[in-house]
Amino acid sequence: MASKLFDLTGRLAVVTGSSQGIGFGLAQGLAEAGARVVLNGRNPEKLAAAVARLAERGVAVEQAAFDVADPAATEAAISEIEARLGPIAILVNNAGIMRRMPSIEVTPEVWREVLGTNVDAVFFTTQAVARRMIPRGAGKIINVCSVNSELARPTIAPYATSKGALRMMTRTLCAEWAKHGIQVNGLAPGYFETELTEPLVQDAAFTDWLCKRTPAGRWGKVEELVGAAVFLASPASDFVNGHLLYVDGGMTAVL
């Protein structure tokens, strides 16, 4: 049956940066598709609150508090997760940060902070998981990219640079690891309503620009990312590799 192509029953998924926003929504969606999901975040209290919110919705998940920007802590956490819960079948690299400012004002500290979280952390988290996936000959790695992997805007030079780098990391890891049965793909959201984007949603001028710029004429809803994530995490995408799947209401398709 076609439905089995999207069945994640029993597969263990780790979603980084999933205490809120897009990561939280993706974690819930993967769990509802049958996966056993581990939420990740730096703040244990915030993480526990996210687990409790999902429990109220009838969704049971595990949690692992560690900072993906710390390679040693990440390696230790991945080892502990596998020892406790079994092999990781799905990794969703969602953790990321944004710092908005004119490029002329970007300090070395801000640059390193954004690239360290959005690029370095993704690579070393992926490396830790892939060390275990490669001998098993299977795995799904989903890097949460962005329309800014393709399109630029003023005042987001570190972020856009990081997401462009993530696009090429996705393709390079595909080139190396596809032969090991691992699919490395990117999920590239457009503009979605989340706790982090709420100030922009409430900015009438920005929302007006966005609705005119996006063929769909509106902000995206986080639940509209779930289908694409389940596809990239499931057997349905076994011959899809090195691909960025844009979920953006048509933004990257038009001028």
Side-chain angles (χ1 to χ4, degrees), residues 139-142 177-178 181-185 232 237-241:
K140 300 282 187 175
I141 297 169
I142 303 170
W177 297 344
I182 298 171
Q183 290 80 55
V184 187
N185 291 294
L232 293 177
S237 63
D238 280 353
F239 204 58
V240 178
N241 221 331

Side-chain angles (χ1 to χ4, degrees), residues 20-227:
Q20 62 180 356
I22 286 174
F24 181 86
L26 295 182
Q28 177 175 335
L30 293 176
E32 290 174 342
R36 296 180 298 133
V37 175
V38 179
L39 299 191
N40 157 260
R42 291 180 296 180
N43 185 318
E45 292 77 20
K46 200 171 180 180
L47 201 58
V51 171
R53 288 205 313 276
L54 287 175
E56 291 172 358
R57 302 174 187 182
V59 179
V61 298
E62 301 284 341
Q63 59 184 298
F66 63 94
D67 184 357
V68 292
D70 181 338
T74 298
E75 170 63 30
I78 296 302
S79 179
E80 187 279 330
I81 289 168
E82 291 222 342
R84 176 166 56 97
L85 299 172
I88 296 169
I90 302 159
L91 170 65
V92 181
N93 286 306
N94 171 74
I97 59 174
M98 162 81 84
R99 298 288 182 260
R100 297 179 185 275
M101 63 187 68
S103 294
I104 202 70
E105 297 176 9
V106 174
T107 64
E109 292 75 20
V110 168
W111 182 267
R112 285 193 292 268
E113 179 192 22
V114 175
L115 273 291
T117 301
N118 294 4
V119 180
D120 297 359
V122 172
F123 180 80
F124 290 112
T125 302
T126 301
Q127 189 182 62
V129 173
R131 285 192 186 105
R132 295 156 172 88
M133 286 180 170
I134 287 172
R136 295 193 288 260
K140 300 282 187 175
I141 297 169
I142 303 170
N143 295 326
V144 177
C145 299
S146 169
V147 289
N148 296 126
S149 296
E150 184 72 28
L151 304 175
R153 275 183 56 78
T155 75
I156 61 167
Y159 181 82
T161 300
S162 73
K163 292 301 184 178
L166 200 52
R167 175 179 64 177
M168 293 312 299
M169 186 193 303
T170 299
R171 292 173 175 174
T172 302
L173 297 181
C174 157
E176 291 191 40
W177 297 344
K179 65 186 177 185
H180 297 296
I182 298 171
Q183 290 80 55
V184 187
N185 291 294
L187 177 62
Y191 286 82
F192 281 75
E193 290 188 59
T194 69
E195 298 94 330
L196 296 178
T197 60
E198 185 60 23
L200 289 177
V201 174
Q202 297 304 321
D203 183 330
F206 185 88
T207 290
D208 180 66
W209 168 83
L210 176 68
C211 292
K212 290 176 179 175
R213 174 65 180 81
T214 305
R218 61 176 176 84
W219 286 83
K221 301 174 183 177
V222 171
E223 56 266 30
E224 292 174 311
L225 284 167
V226 170

